[in-house]
């Protein structure tokens, strides 16, 4: 009965904690826990279809493992007889299997350690960010940087900053603004009625192809732009001359 009450208490405590974080608007806590538990499933779904098997190498590995196991068992059985002649019990097969399995595990651990060191060095020397939000980049939800930079560019334009200097001012802004502007193109854009606006899209062509960009101002509140539309907008002459990337 005590165990049942203890389990019920843990379940109720977990539900209360989940409700508390959700009410506080901290859904990321639950998302982080969920990702840590089952996040590897999505990784496998994306990676396994790309895996190719070299059946020749697999057959060679199995053959070498079998030869190593049999040879190890025969050698240890003979050595056992020489060292323990008074013991009538033969060398157990499971001891040989355990020893070979231990050697294989040590070999795998060594490869894993080398791989970890290699990837840590690659991550430390690379310029790519170590973490990237999974909800900020989608075709249905504009990246936060698009909306944020559009809003800041409009504020600068209304304050009298020339459109051609907006991108330079953003790059000289605070740390967050400068980081966003370094990742995004902020291009002055004119609507059909001549209203000032801005076209914002990622500098990285891969992200640009995936998430597109955004238009703001120019008589529009804010509009998502697909990647395929960006070349047309940049070549229609609605973008201020000399500011297109």
């Amino acid at each position: 009965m005590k165990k049942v009450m203890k389990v019920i208490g843990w379940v109720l405590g977990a539900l209360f904690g989940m409700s508390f974080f959700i009410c506080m608007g901290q859904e990321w806590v639950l998302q982080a826990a969920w990702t840590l538990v089952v996040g590897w499933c999505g990784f496998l779904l994306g990676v396994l279809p790309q895996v190719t098997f070299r059946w020749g190498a697999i057959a060679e590995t199995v053959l070498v493992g079998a030869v190593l196991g049999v040879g190890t068992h025969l050698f240890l059985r003979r050595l056992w007889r020489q060292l323990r002649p008074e013991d009538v019990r033969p060398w157990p097969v499971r001891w040989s299997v355990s020893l070979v399995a231990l050697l294989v595990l040590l070999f795998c651990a060594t490869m894993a350690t080398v791989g970890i060191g290699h990837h840590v060095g690659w991550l430390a020397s690379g310029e790519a960010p170590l973490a990237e939000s999974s909800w900020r980049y989608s075709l249905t939800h504009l990246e936060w940087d698009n909306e944020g930079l559009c809003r800041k560019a409009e504020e600068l334009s209304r304050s009298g900053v020339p459109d051609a200097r907006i991108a330079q001012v953003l790059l000289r802004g605070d740390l967050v603004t400068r980081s966003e502007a370094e990742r995004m193109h902020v291009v002055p854009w004119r609507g059909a009625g001549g209203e000032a606006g801005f076209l914002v899209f990622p500098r990285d062509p891969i992200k640009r192809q995936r998430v597109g960009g955004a238009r703001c101002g120019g008589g529009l509140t804010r509009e998502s732009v697909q990647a395929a539309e960006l070349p047309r907008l940049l070549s229609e002459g609605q973008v201020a001359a000399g500011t297109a990337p």
Side-chain angles (χ1 to χ4, degrees):
M1 187 64 181
K2 291 183 179 180
K3 292 183 178 180
V4 175
M5 295 301 296
K6 187 175 182 180
V7 171
I8 294 176
W10 278 105
V11 172
L12 292 177
L15 292 176
F16 175 79
M18 293 171 59
S19 302
F20 175 77
F21 283 117
I22 292 175
C23 293
M24 293 293 292
Q26 303 297 323
E27 296 89 350
W28 66 270
V29 177
L30 304 180
Q31 293 175 354
W34 177 260
T35 302
L36 288 174
V37 174
V38 300
W40 54 271
C41 295
F43 173 79
L44 292 180
L45 290 176
V47 170
L48 287 180
Q50 305 177 16
V51 175
T52 57
F53 296 95
R54 298 176 56 187
W55 297 109
I58 294 175
E60 182 180 352
T61 302
V62 173
L63 179 61
V64 170
V67 171
L68 176 63
V70 173
T72 300
H73 179 68
L74 295 177
F75 171 76
L76 292 177
R77 186 177 64 177
R78 182 174 180 179
L79 183 63
W80 175 265
R81 289 176 179 175
Q82 293 179 354
L83 297 177
R84 304 287 295 271
E86 71 283 357
D87 195 341
V88 296
R89 183 182 57 175
W91 174 266
V93 176
R94 66 176 182 274
W95 291 4
S96 299
V97 173
S98 300
L99 180 60
V100 173
L102 179 61
L103 293 176
V104 172
L105 289 176
L106 290 175
F107 178 73
C108 294
T110 302
M111 290 195 303
T113 303
V114 173
I116 291 173
H118 170 76
H119 281 78
V120 168
W122 176 72
L123 290 173
S125 61
E127 298 181 356
L130 297 180
E132 184 175 287
S133 175
S134 61
W135 64 267
R136 288 170 57 186
Y137 300 99
S138 65
L139 296 178
T140 58
H141 191 289
L142 283 176
E143 185 181 10
W144 185 89
D145 289 346
N146 291 359
E147 181 180 354
L149 286 182
C150 268
R151 184 171 62 251
K152 294 176 182 177
E154 286 182 299
E155 293 174 356
L156 291 173
S157 179
R158 286 194 294 267
S159 66
V161 179
D163 291 349
R165 296 189 62 248
I166 294 291
Q168 299 177 7
V169 174
L170 291 173
L171 286 172
R172 291 198 300 266
D174 56 73
L175 181 61
V176 176
T177 301
R178 184 168 66 251
S179 176
E180 296 167 0
E182 287 175 351
R183 296 196 305 269
M184 311 293 292
H185 280 299
V186 181
V187 181
W189 171 81
R190 295 287 176 178
E195 300 89 346
F198 296 91
L199 183 64
V200 181
F201 52 91
R203 297 178 184 270
D204 187 340
I206 298 177
K207 290 182 180 178
R208 185 188 313 167
Q209 185 66 29
R210 185 174 58 182
V211 306
R215 286 193 295 183
C216 57
L220 303 171
T221 55
R222 181 171 54 83
E223 181 181 62
S224 175
V225 177
Q226 300 293 332
E229 300 179 27
L230 291 173
R232 176 180 60 81
L233 293 174
L234 293 172
S235 61
E236 276 182 350
Q238 292 180 324
V239 176
T243 60

